[in-house]
Amino acid sequence: MTDFASFVAPAASAGAAEADAIREASACLDRFTDRFNACDTAGMDGELHFPHVMLSGAQRLEWQAPGHHPVDFFEKLKASGWRLTRYQSKEAVLASADKVHFVVTYTREDEAGTVLSTHRNLWIATRVTGRWGISLRSY
């Protein structure tokens, strides 16, 4: 069991390691969104860590394993006019060698490129056993 005091103690700044972590974690988010735009839920799951936590308001959703995206998710999204999700920004607001918190701003656009909606969320990517994945998304 992890000692709570050591769990919450700030780690010494790693400088270059943090910059590498931000770059690698950001690439993970890019891969996730590429798979999202390809309507590839299995590929999206491949960029997540499980259990995977999502927060919306005070509600919490936790997926223990891949395969939980609703089968009609992209069908419903396309019915709304959606054709593409595009990052406007990914700002690393807290980083260590194995964890990066991003404030992610993205748009959902139709086929003509008209913005249907803009979203600003907190996503946390972690490196577990050498692999970057998204561990938490807050909407």
Side-chain angles (χ1 to χ4, degrees):
M1 176 173 236
T2 302
D3 173 63
F4 181 75
S6 64
F7 185 79
V8 298
S13 177
E18 287 178 8
D20 288 345
I22 292 168
R23 188 182 83 269
E24 293 170 14
S26 180
C28 172
L29 272 60
D30 290 343
R31 290 188 303 270
F32 176 87
T33 300
D34 287 346
R35 301 312 338 137
F36 188 97
N37 285 330
C39 302
D40 175 6
T41 57
M44 292 163 54
D45 282 348
E47 299 302 329
L48 303 177
H49 279 309
F50 296 93
H52 183 75
V53 176
M54 288 167 281
L55 301 171
S56 181
Q59 295 184 341
R60 180 177 190 264
L61 180 63
E62 185 172 320
W63 291 342
Q64 292 299 315
H68 283 84
H69 288 94
V71 294
D72 62 349
F73 176 75
F74 283 110
E75 190 176 295
K76 288 180 177 178
L77 195 56
K78 286 179 181 180
S80 76
W82 171 86
R83 291 299 177 264
L84 179 76
T85 294
R86 183 187 322 268
Y87 287 117
Q88 301 306 305
S89 64
K90 290 181 291 175
E91 179 188 2
V93 294
L94 181 64
S96 66
D98 293 314
K99 179 178 56 128
V100 182
H101 295 228
F102 289 96
V103 173
V104 178
T105 304
Y106 60 91
T107 55
R108 291 196 174 152
E109 302 173 7
D110 66 13
E111 199 164 311
T114 302
V115 173
L116 302 171
S117 60
T118 302
H119 305 264
R120 189 166 188 254
N121 308 130
L122 176 69
W123 290 11
I124 300 174
T126 55
R127 180 174 22 207
V128 178
T129 61
R131 184 182 76 79
W132 283 97
I134 303 165
S135 293
L136 181 141
R137 293 178 286 165
S138 181
Y139 294 95

